[in-house]
């Protein structure tokens, strides 16, 4: 699956599992996910490369206890960390 298509699938999945997704140019500050007043938010820095945006989405999806059926296999492999495309962020 190409990077742009994988990112689009990942963002759609994040929305499906309840994330409010906001895409803004943050001048390279990076994105992430958080919980605000009981709502899940995913912030994507549109000024970053697609690979970095995908990493932020995958980080959020890895935190989900369960994913709905029908998730593309390439996306499942990314979430499980079994490919080299997007590696999990190191723990702080």
């Amino acid at each position: 699956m190409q990077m742009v298509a994988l990112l689009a699938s990942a963002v759609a999945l994040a929305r499906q599992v309840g994330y409010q997704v906001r895409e803004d140019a943050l001048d390279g500050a990076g994105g992430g996910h958080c919980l605000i007043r009981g709502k899940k938010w995913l912030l994507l820095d549109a000024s970053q490369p697609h690979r970095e945006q995908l990493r932020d989405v995958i980080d959020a999806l890895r935190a989900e206890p369960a994913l709905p059926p029908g998730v593309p296999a390439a996306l499942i492999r990314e979430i499980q960390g079994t490919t080299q495309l997007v590696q999990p962020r190191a723990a702080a």
Side-chain angles (χ1 to χ4, degrees):
M1 195 175 243
Q2 293 183 347
M3 182 69 66
V4 174
L6 191 58
L7 176 59
S9 292
V11 169
L13 179 58
R15 286 188 170 113
Q16 188 177 349
V17 297
Y19 279 93
Q20 303 292 316
V21 180
R22 184 162 177 163
E23 300 175 64
D24 290 313
L26 302 173
D27 298 324
H33 64 282
C34 61
L35 191 65
I36 301 174
R37 295 184 184 178
K39 288 188 179 181
K40 297 185 286 188
W41 283 90
L42 175 59
L43 308 172
L44 298 177
D45 185 349
S47 65
Q48 287 194 315
H50 291 123
R51 183 180 307 272
E52 290 301 315
Q53 293 178 50
L54 180 59
R55 181 179 295 186
D56 290 330
V57 181
I58 296 298
D59 282 348
L61 293 174
R62 284 182 178 139
E64 288 299 307
L67 297 175
V71 177
L75 190 52
I76 290 290
R77 288 190 300 272
E78 289 301 326
I79 294 167
Q80 292 173 337
T82 58
T83 66
Q84 297 298 315
L85 186 60
V86 177
Q87 292 300 310
R89 293 194 191 279

